[in-house]
Amino acid sequence: MNMPVVLISEEEIQSRVLELAGQISADYDANDELVLVGVLKGSFIFLADLSRRLTIPRTIEFIAVSSYGSGSRSTGAVRLVMDVRGNIEGKHVLIVEDIVDTGHTLKYLIGMLESHRPASVRTCALVRKAESAEVDVKVDYLGFDIGNEWVVGYGLDYAEQNRTLPYIGVVSPDD
Ligand code: 5GP
């Protein structure tokens, strides 16, 4: 497989993560019980970096979903594979996603987490494919908008490969 072509460099990612962490730290009160909910598997590196840059108290939970249907695009039918373990009732939830494509996954997650009766639910995504949106879902904290191409690295995979690259790159499916 050829090496992915760099789309967003390690330096760009790190400085944007620092900015996002600053914004989030300023928006929440230090007394708020902030719970970062990382969406497995793709968000694990973003969540690790973002959470360590925050200057306010926070706890970490994970959630896992999968999409019905074949192929790489989600069909809109999302299935919960693993729910949060801790009690998030009355707490401030920030969903940390790797990438928003059609928006179905994030929309599902917001509804799912709201059913746990948290104090608030906001969303943070490192990357969004703006042209691919099929549902209207608000990303409160966004790293980068990109075009409609398959990206890997910084947690994102192609057939489980390239997740640990320090940058975000583009692979063509033929590689
Ligand atoms: P959505 O429900 O917004 O269409 O899809 C979101 C999910 O699709 C992401 O969490 C991710 O798992 C997957 N996805 C969409 N586009 C890409 C991409 O370019 N690269 C990777 N690795 N995953 C993607």
Coordinates of all heavy atoms in Angstrom, one line a residue, residues 39-42 65 67 72-76 78 97-106 129 132 134 146 149-153 155-158 163, ligand 1:
V39 N -15.8 8.5 20.8 CA -16.4 7.5 19.9 C -15.4 6.6 19.4 O -14.5 7.0 18.6 CB -17.2 8.2 18.8 CG1 -18.1 7.2 18.1 CG2 -18.1 9.3 19.4
L40 N -15.4 5.3 19.8 CA -14.4 4.3 19.3 C -14.7 3.9 17.9 O -15.8 3.8 17.5 CB -14.5 3.1 20.3 CG -14.0 3.4 21.7 CD1 -14.2 2.1 22.6 CD2 -12.5 3.7 21.7
K41 N -13.6 3.5 17.1 CA -12.3 3.6 17.6 C -11.6 4.9 17.3 O -10.6 5.3 17.9 CB -11.4 2.4 17.0 CG -11.9 1.0 17.3 CD -10.9 0.0 16.6 CE -11.5 -1.3 16.6 NZ -10.6 -2.2 15.8
G42 N -12.1 5.5 16.2 CA -11.4 6.6 15.5 C -11.0 7.8 16.3 O -10.1 8.5 16.0
V65 N -20.1 2.5 18.3 CA -21.3 2.3 17.4 C -20.8 1.6 16.1 O -19.6 1.6 15.8 CB -21.9 3.7 17.0 CG1 -22.7 4.3 18.1 CG2 -20.9 4.6 16.4
S67 N -22.3 1.0 11.9 CA -23.4 1.4 10.9 C -23.9 0.1 10.2 O -23.1 -0.8 9.9 CB -22.9 2.3 9.8 OG -22.3 3.4 10.4
S72 N -18.3 1.8 2.9 CA -17.7 2.7 3.9 C -18.7 3.9 4.3 O -18.5 4.5 5.3 CB -16.4 3.3 3.3 OG -16.7 3.8 2.0
R73 N -19.7 4.1 3.5 CA -20.6 5.2 3.9 C -21.7 4.6 4.8 O -22.2 3.6 4.7 CB -21.4 5.7 2.6 CG -20.4 6.1 1.5 CD -20.1 7.6 1.3 NE -20.7 8.6 2.1 CZ -21.5 9.6 1.7 NH1 -21.8 9.6 0.4 NH2 -21.9 10.5 2.5
S74 N -22.1 5.5 5.8 CA -23.1 5.0 6.7 C -24.5 5.2 6.0 O -24.6 6.2 5.3 CB -23.0 5.7 8.1 OG -23.3 7.1 7.9
T75 N -25.4 4.3 6.3 CA -26.6 4.3 5.6 C -27.7 5.1 6.4 O -28.8 5.3 5.9 CB -27.2 2.9 5.5 OG1 -27.2 2.3 6.8 CG2 -26.3 2.1 4.6
G76 N -27.3 5.5 7.6 CA -28.3 6.2 8.4 C -28.8 5.4 9.5 O -29.3 5.9 10.5
V78 N -27.8 3.4 12.5 CA -26.6 3.3 13.4 C -27.0 2.4 14.6 O -28.1 2.5 15.1 CB -26.2 4.7 13.9 CG1 -24.9 4.6 14.7 CG2 -25.9 5.6 12.7
E97 N -15.7 13.2 18.4 CA -15.8 12.3 17.2 C -14.6 12.6 16.4 O -14.0 13.7 16.3 CB -17.0 12.7 16.4 CG -18.2 11.7 16.4 CD -17.9 10.4 15.6 OE1 -16.7 10.0 15.5 OE2 -18.9 9.9 15.1
D98 N -14.2 11.5 15.6 CA -13.0 11.7 14.7 C -13.5 12.5 13.5 O -12.9 13.5 13.1 CB -12.5 10.3 14.3 CG -13.6 9.3 13.9 OD1 -14.8 9.7 13.9 OD2 -13.2 8.2 13.5
I99 N -14.6 12.0 12.8 CA -15.0 12.6 11.6 C -16.5 12.6 11.4 O -17.1 11.6 11.8 CB -14.3 11.9 10.4 CG1 -14.5 12.5 9.1 CG2 -14.6 10.4 10.3 CD1 -13.5 12.1 8.0
V100 N -17.0 13.6 10.9 CA -18.5 13.7 10.5 C -18.6 13.7 9.0 O -18.1 14.6 8.4 CB -19.1 14.9 11.1 CG1 -20.6 15.0 10.8 CG2 -18.9 15.0 12.7
D101 N -19.3 12.7 8.5 CA -19.5 12.5 7.1 C -20.9 12.9 6.7 O -21.2 14.1 6.5 CB -19.1 11.1 6.7 CG -19.1 10.8 5.2 OD1 -19.3 11.8 4.4 OD2 -18.9 9.6 4.8
T102 N -21.8 11.9 6.7 CA -23.2 12.3 6.5 C -23.9 13.0 7.6 O -24.9 13.7 7.5 CB -24.0 11.0 6.2 OG1 -24.0 10.1 7.3 CG2 -23.5 10.2 4.9
G103 N -23.4 12.7 8.8 CA -23.9 13.3 10.1 C -24.8 12.3 10.8 O -25.2 12.6 11.9
H104 N -25.2 11.2 10.2 CA -26.1 10.2 10.8 C -25.6 9.7 12.2 O -26.3 9.6 13.1 CB -26.4 9.0 9.9 CG -27.2 9.3 8.7 ND1 -28.5 9.7 8.8 CD2 -26.9 9.3 7.4 CE1 -29.0 10.0 7.6 NE2 -28.0 9.7 6.7
T105 N -24.3 9.4 12.2 CA -23.7 8.8 13.5 C -23.8 9.8 14.6 O -24.3 9.5 15.7 CB -22.3 8.4 13.2 OG1 -22.2 7.5 12.1 CG2 -21.7 7.7 14.5
L106 N -23.4 11.1 14.3 CA -23.4 12.1 15.4 C -24.8 12.4 15.8 O -25.1 12.5 17.0 CB -22.7 13.3 14.9 CG -22.3 14.4 16.0 CD1 -21.5 13.7 17.1 CD2 -21.6 15.5 15.4
K129 N -16.7 16.5 6.7 CA -16.9 16.5 5.2 C -18.1 17.3 4.9 O -19.2 16.8 4.8 CB -17.0 15.1 4.6 CG -15.8 14.3 4.9 CD -15.9 12.9 4.2 CE -14.7 12.0 4.5 NZ -14.9 10.7 3.9
S132 N -20.8 16.4 2.3 CA -21.4 15.1 2.4 C -22.6 15.1 3.4 O -23.3 14.1 3.5 CB -20.5 14.1 2.9 OG -19.3 14.1 2.2
E134 N -26.0 14.9 5.1 CA -27.3 14.4 4.8 C -28.3 14.8 5.9 O -29.5 14.9 5.6 CB -27.3 12.9 4.6 CG -26.7 12.4 3.3 CD -26.6 10.9 3.2 OE1 -27.3 10.2 4.0 OE2 -25.9 10.5 2.3
I146 N -13.1 19.3 5.3 CA -12.3 18.8 4.2 C -13.3 18.4 3.1 O -14.5 18.4 3.3 CB -11.5 17.5 4.6 CG1 -12.4 16.4 5.1 CG2 -10.4 17.9 5.6 CD1 -11.7 15.1 5.2
E149 N -13.3 13.0 0.5 CA -12.2 12.0 0.2 C -12.0 11.2 1.4 O -12.3 11.6 2.6 CB -10.9 12.7 -0.2 CG -10.5 13.9 0.7 CD -9.8 15.0 0.0 OE1 -9.2 14.7 -1.1 OE2 -9.7 16.1 0.5
W150 N -11.5 10.0 1.2 CA -11.3 9.1 2.4 C -10.0 9.4 3.1 O -8.9 9.4 2.4 CB -11.3 7.6 1.9 CG -11.4 6.7 3.1 CD1 -10.4 6.1 3.8 CD2 -12.6 6.4 3.8 NE1 -10.9 5.4 4.8 CE2 -12.2 5.5 4.9 CE3 -13.9 6.7 3.7 CZ2 -13.1 5.0 5.8 CZ3 -14.9 6.2 4.6 CH2 -14.5 5.3 5.6
V151 N -10.1 9.7 4.3 CA -8.9 10.1 5.0 C -8.5 9.1 6.1 O -9.3 8.4 6.7 CB -9.0 11.5 5.7 CG1 -8.9 12.6 4.6 CG2 -10.2 11.6 6.5
V152 N -7.2 9.0 6.4 CA -6.6 8.1 7.4 C -5.7 8.9 8.3 O -5.2 10.0 8.0 CB -5.9 6.9 6.7 CG1 -6.9 6.0 5.9 CG2 -4.7 7.4 5.9
G153 N -5.3 8.2 9.4 CA -4.3 8.8 10.3 C -4.9 9.5 11.5 O -6.1 9.8 11.5
G155 N -5.9 8.4 14.2 CA -7.0 7.6 14.7 C -7.9 7.0 13.7 O -8.5 6.0 13.9
L156 N -7.8 7.6 12.5 CA -8.7 7.1 11.4 C -8.0 6.0 10.6 O -6.8 6.1 10.3 CB -9.0 8.3 10.4 CG -9.9 9.4 11.0 CD1 -9.7 10.7 10.3 CD2 -11.3 9.0 11.0
D157 N -8.8 5.1 10.1 CA -8.2 3.9 9.4 C -8.8 3.8 8.0 O -9.8 4.4 7.7 CB -8.5 2.6 10.2 CG -10.0 2.2 10.0 OD1 -10.9 3.1 10.2 OD2 -10.2 1.1 9.7
Y158 N -8.1 2.9 7.3 CA -8.7 2.3 6.1 C -8.4 0.8 6.2 O -7.2 0.4 6.3 CB -8.0 2.9 4.8 CG -8.5 2.2 3.5 CD1 -9.9 2.4 3.1 CD2 -7.7 1.3 2.8 CE1 -10.4 1.7 2.0 CE2 -8.2 0.7 1.7 CZ -9.5 0.9 1.3 OH -10.0 0.3 0.2
R163 N -4.0 3.9 11.3 CA -4.6 4.7 12.4 C -3.6 5.5 13.2 O -3.9 6.6 13.8 CB -5.2 3.7 13.5 CG -6.6 3.3 13.1 CD -7.2 2.7 14.4 NE -8.3 1.8 14.0 CZ -9.5 2.2 13.7 NH1 -9.9 3.5 13.7 NH2 -10.5 1.3 13.4
Ligands
5GP1 P1 -21.5 9.5 9.2 O1 -22.5 8.8 10.0 O2 -21.3 11.0 9.6 O3 -21.7 9.4 7.7 O4 -20.1 8.7 9.4 C1 -19.3 8.9 10.4 C2 -18.3 7.7 10.5 O5 -18.0 7.2 9.2 C3 -17.1 8.1 11.2 O6 -17.2 8.0 12.6 C4 -16.1 7.2 10.6 O7 -16.1 6.0 11.3 C5 -16.6 6.9 9.2 N1 -15.9 7.7 8.1 C6 -16.5 8.6 7.3 N2 -15.6 9.2 6.5 C7 -14.4 8.6 6.8 C8 -13.1 8.8 6.3 O8 -12.8 9.6 5.4 N3 -12.1 8.1 6.9 C9 -12.4 7.2 7.9 N4 -11.3 6.5 8.4 N5 -13.6 7.0 8.4 C10 -14.6 7.7 7.9

